[in-house]
């Protein structure tokens, strides 16, 4: 065969897998349906005709848990990757014209809490320390397969020993804490520990991105732990960073690393079918009709697109297909990207804040409003009080726009994948208008400063990036769809029922975000099985 391995999709996990496989001497081809690589981690112009040269991170927009091992192994810094830490890491604007910042420096954070939550100061730092300690127990599982609960014989003994080594330092208190955070309600946890409404909303603003469930639903406390996992080239807990050149700079560096390792990358090469002979993957067929033969196929597409769209139904057990259909997707979030003629003047933004410190502001509802918003979205309704996370990327990176232009990218939740009494073709721009109006309540100069805008409702994310139902994580981040349950029980080790077919995308362990971990783990699983 011409190739050892064909990878479907040039998202960051596909590129990560390709690089490691090529480093091991494999002949690898990556096939991408879009004209550029990167999947959801891309930098593109918002509107080339109206605002040429004005670029933004179209979908994914902040680097947080990108694995430092991958950065080092692939020498991404040598290929131009540069990230700048977000500080504050989170910043919320409130209705009373107050802006609250979450600083990495403890002294500065204490001063902020003294202003808005004096009774919660000691408890805040005690809780943060507990959470960081518990998150550290989960950290090692990021770059290795989840526990194999179906293992037998000596394999079972090895898996038991692996778990024992990972958790041998856990106390009974730690075990109960992990269970509480993996299964409990974020809202109840915040209400139990803190008095200040602003502090609770500040923590909420960084804990439920892209996830199903209002803050009072079980399992939503999980986000507290996941956002304290480490990332960046310094391997720092809770690290978040702006990427110079936008998120596409990550995948462009990966593309360059892959090319130097001998990987062949083909864009505008959409895969229409994974070819299977006698239960074994033998390559893929492109939409053009061309066949690409390979000994192994690795899909960076989500599980639904892979098994329900790229593989003939006759090749899979119907019970397996049913389980795939039942994976929770229906993405609850969207994006609205703006080109502005002036920087947003956020009410209450401290005059002492420098330019980069003004680059983040989240317009966060109360916990009760967030719960009501999720319930409304679940009914197919567009919530009245949207949750809007704003990043003014051009305040950190002036390469994204020419002088006099400012790039604002907004992550919006909760949104219904399907509207009950309408459709997104009709309501898409209404969503953009609503987001613009909400931002205008906090930064009154913004509505008149809009030069160009592009709106991505959940179905638009699906159409543009090929992610089923517009779910940015390739499946909801919930306990029943995590660890050895991802994508399905019994199939969490990147292998599939088709011999020679593997998964490497965010629909596998450890899940979504621009981490590179699924691609790393899948590539090492393939090499260990070779």
């Amino acid at each position: 065969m011409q190739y050892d391995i064909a990878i479907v999709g040039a998202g960051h996990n596909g590129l990560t897998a390709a690089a490691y496989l090529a480093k091991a001497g494999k002949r690898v081809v990556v096939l991408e349906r879009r004209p550029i690589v990167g999947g959801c981690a891309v930098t593109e112009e918002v509107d080339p005709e109206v605002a040429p040269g004005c670029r933004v991170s179209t979908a994914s927009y902040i680097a947080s848990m990108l694995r430092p091992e991958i950065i080092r192994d692939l020498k991404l810094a040598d290929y131009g990757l540069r990230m700048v830490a977000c500080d504050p890491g989170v910043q919320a604007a409130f209705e009373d014209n107050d802006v609250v910042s979450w600083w990495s420096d403890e002294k500065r954070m204490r001063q902020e809490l003294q202003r808005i939550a004096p009774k919660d100061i000691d408890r805040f730092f005690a809780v943060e320390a507990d959470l960081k300690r518990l998150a550290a127990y989960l950290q090692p599982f990021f770059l290795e397969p989840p526990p194999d609960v179906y293992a037998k014989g000596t394999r079972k003994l090895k898996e038991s020993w692996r778990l024992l080594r990972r958790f041998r330092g856990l106390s009974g208190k730690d075990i109960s804490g992990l269970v509480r955070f993996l299964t409990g309600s974020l809202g109840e946890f915040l209400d139990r520990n803190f008095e200040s409404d602003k502090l609770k909303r500040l923590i909420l603003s960084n804990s439920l991105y892209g996830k199903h469930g209002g803050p009072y639903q079980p399992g939503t406390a999980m986000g507290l732990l996941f956002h304290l996992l480490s990332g960046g080239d310094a391997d720092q807990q809770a690290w978040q960073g702006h990427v110079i050149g936008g998120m596409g700079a990550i995948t462009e560096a990966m593309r360059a690393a892959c090319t130097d390792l001998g990987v062949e990358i083909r864009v505008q090469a959409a895969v229409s079918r994974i070819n299977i002979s006698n239960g074994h993957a033998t390559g893929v067929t492109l939409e053009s009709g061309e066949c690409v033969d390979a000994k192994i196929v690795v899909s960076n597409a989500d599980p639904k697109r892979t098994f329900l769209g790229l593989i003939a139904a006759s090749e899979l057990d119907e019970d397996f297909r049913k389980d795939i259909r039942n994976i929770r997707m229906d993405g609850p979030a969207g994006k609205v990207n703006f080109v502005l003629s002036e920087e947003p003047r956020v009410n209450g933004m401290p005059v002492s804040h420098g330019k980069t410190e003004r680059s983040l502001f989240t317009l966060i509802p109360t916990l009760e409003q967030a719960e009501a918003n999720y319930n409304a979205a679940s009914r197919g309704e567009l919530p009245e009080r949207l949750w809007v996370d704003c990043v003014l990327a051009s305040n950190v990176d002036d390469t994204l726009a020419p002088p006099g232009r400012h790039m604002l990218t907004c992550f919006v939740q909760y949104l219904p994948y399907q509207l009950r009494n309408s459709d997104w073709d009709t309501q898409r721009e209404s969503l953009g208008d609503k987001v613009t109006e909400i931002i205008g309540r906090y930064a009154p100069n913004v509505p008149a400063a809009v030069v160009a805008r592009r709106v991505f409702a959940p179905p638009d994310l699906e159409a543009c990036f090929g992610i089923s139902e517009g779910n940015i994580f390739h499946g909801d981040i919930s306990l029943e769809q995590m660890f050895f349950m991802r994508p399905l029980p019994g199939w969490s080790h990147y292998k599939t029922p088709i011999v020679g077919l593997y998964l490497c995308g965010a629909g596998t362990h450890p899940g979504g975000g621009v981490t590179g971990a699924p691609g790393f783990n899948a590539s090492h699983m393939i090499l260990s099985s070779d």
Side-chain angles (χ1 to χ4, degrees):
M1 291 185 174
Q2 184 178 359
Y3 301 101
D4 294 314
I5 297 166
I7 296 180
V8 181
H12 81 282
N13 280 310
L15 294 172
T16 298
Y20 280 101
L21 292 166
K23 279 169 66 76
K26 302 297 183 182
R27 294 167 296 168
V28 183
V29 62
V30 180
L31 304 162
E32 169 58 43
R33 59 188 283 274
R34 299 193 72 208
I36 58 173
V37 303
C40 290
V42 290
T43 308
E44 298 172 289
E45 290 179 299
V46 173
D47 189 328
E49 294 185 2
V50 175
C54 293
R55 302 178 302 133
V56 72
S57 298
T58 308
S60 175
Y61 60 108
I62 287 287
S64 58
M65 296 181 290
L66 181 62
R67 301 309 309 143
E69 297 89 343
I70 295 172
I71 296 172
R72 292 192 296 267
D73 289 349
L74 304 189
K75 302 178 181 179
L76 298 184
D78 293 348
Y79 293 103
L81 178 61
R82 181 178 167 227
M83 298 183 289
V84 178
C86 301
D87 201 15
V90 184
Q91 191 156 246
F94 293 94
E95 299 82 357
D96 62 356
N97 297 339
D98 189 20
V99 173
V100 178
S101 307
W102 191 332
W103 302 102
S104 59
D105 178 72
E106 181 175 334
K107 181 179 178 181
R108 202 170 186 184
M109 189 62 194
R110 283 186 178 274
Q111 292 174 341
E112 192 79 339
L113 293 175
Q114 184 63 49
R115 186 175 66 82
I116 61 117
K119 296 181 180 179
D120 293 326
I121 296 176
D122 291 339
R123 184 61 183 157
F124 172 84
F125 287 103
V127 166
E128 185 178 51
D130 283 344
L131 288 171
K132 285 184 175 180
R133 189 183 71 258
L134 293 175
Y137 284 111
L138 297 178
Q139 186 72 54
F141 288 106
F142 236 58
L143 285 189
E144 61 184 44
D148 185 358
V149 298
Y150 294 89
K152 297 179 181 179
T154 56
R155 174 71 180 160
K156 184 174 183 178
L157 291 175
K158 290 179 180 178
E159 285 293 287
S160 299
W161 174 241
R162 179 161 71 104
L163 283 176
L164 179 62
R165 284 191 300 114
R166 295 303 186 206
F167 292 129
R168 61 187 172 186
L170 276 175
S171 66
K173 180 181 177 181
D174 290 336
I175 293 172
S176 62
L178 276 174
V179 172
R180 173 175 290 170
F181 287 118
L182 293 176
T183 63
S185 150
L186 174 65
E188 290 171 351
F189 173 82
L190 295 176
D191 289 340
R192 186 168 59 248
N193 283 280
F194 305 113
E195 294 186 24
S196 167
D197 176 69
K198 286 185 178 179
L199 177 57
K200 288 190 279 188
R201 291 168 70 181
L202 181 69
I203 297 171
L204 169 67
S205 67
N206 194 40
S207 301
L208 288 182
Y209 287 140
K211 186 184 186 311
H212 279 281
Y216 285 102
Q217 298 198 21
T220 50
M222 185 190 303
L224 288 168
L225 294 181
F226 274 80
H227 284 97
L228 288 173
L229 297 173
S230 64
D233 48 14
D235 200 6
Q236 179 181 338
Q237 271 193 310
W239 190 88
Q240 295 190 110
H242 301 278
V243 182
I244 302 303
M247 294 296 285
I250 295 175
T251 47
E252 275 301 306
M254 288 179 171
R255 179 198 59 76
C258 283
T259 299
D260 282 354
L261 288 166
V263 176
E264 181 181 341
I265 300 174
R266 297 173 59 180
V267 296
Q268 294 183 303
V271 173
S272 64
R273 184 174 72 251
I274 295 172
N275 300 332
I276 299 167
S277 177
N278 297 322
H280 196 298
T282 60
V284 301
T285 298
L286 306 184
E287 288 185 357
S288 65
E290 177 188 354
C291 288
V292 179
D293 293 331
K295 299 173 184 176
I296 290 174
V297 176
V298 184
S299 178
N300 191 32
D302 65 81
K304 285 193 175 181
R305 183 169 290 270
T306 300
F307 294 114
L308 305 181
L310 299 180
I311 297 176
S314 59
E315 300 289 351
L316 294 166
D317 180 82
E318 183 53 35
D319 285 342
F320 179 86
R321 286 172 52 83
K322 180 180 179 181
D323 288 341
I324 291 291
R325 283 194 294 269
N326 287 332
I327 294 174
R328 183 74 183 274
M329 294 276 191
D330 56 317
K335 284 290 298 288
V336 182
N337 297 322
F338 294 92
V339 180
L340 304 176
S341 61
E342 56 185 81
E343 178 182 335
R345 295 191 291 273
V346 179
N347 295 332
M349 184 68 73
V351 294
S352 59
H353 274 27
K355 191 175 180 181
T356 61
E357 294 171 336
R358 301 193 301 268
S359 63
L360 305 176
F361 56 98
T362 301
L363 313 179
I364 186 73
T366 65
L367 273 74
E368 292 76 13
Q369 286 173 329
E371 187 78 13
N373 285 356
Y374 177 72
N375 292 335
S378 296
R379 297 190 298 268
E381 301 168 5
L382 186 60
E384 180 60 32
R385 174 56 171 93
L386 292 172
W387 174 338
V388 184
D389 186 38
C390 303
V391 176
L392 191 64
S394 52
N395 265 25
V396 180
D397 180 7
D398 59 11
T399 70
L400 295 175
R405 293 291 182 260
H406 305 264
M407 306 307 299
L408 179 66
T409 182
C410 302
F411 181 81
V412 186
Q413 65 179 41
Y414 294 100
L415 300 176
Y417 172 65
Q418 291 182 317
L419 292 164
R420 186 175 62 180
N421 296 318
S422 186
D423 59 75
W424 279 114
D425 285 340
T426 303
Q427 297 299 321
R428 180 180 298 108
E429 294 309 317
S430 295
L431 171 61
D433 293 342
K434 184 181 283 287
V435 170
T436 305
E437 186 271 328
I438 289 173
I439 296 172
R441 299 178 200 172
Y442 298 83
N445 69 313
V446 165
V450 175
V451 175
R453 179 182 84 186
R454 187 173 181 187
V455 181
F456 290 88
D460 300 317
L461 294 175
E462 179 177 36
C464 183
F465 299 105
I467 48 179
S468 292
E469 301 171 34
N471 190 292
I472 59 175
F473 295 142
H474 290 197
D476 192 35
I477 301 294
S478 55
L479 188 57
E480 69 270 20
Q481 293 185 178
M482 293 293 290
F483 305 111
F484 54 82
M485 306 287 283
R486 193 172 188 89
L488 293 178
W491 298 106
S492 63
H493 279 213
Y494 313 97
K495 297 179 180 180
T496 75
I498 306 297
V499 178
L501 173 63
Y502 293 79
L503 300 181
C504 74
T508 64
H509 172 78
V514 182
T515 69
F520 176 98
N521 292 342
S523 63
H524 285 71
M525 177 62 71
I526 294 166
L527 293 172
S528 68
S529 303
D530 193 10

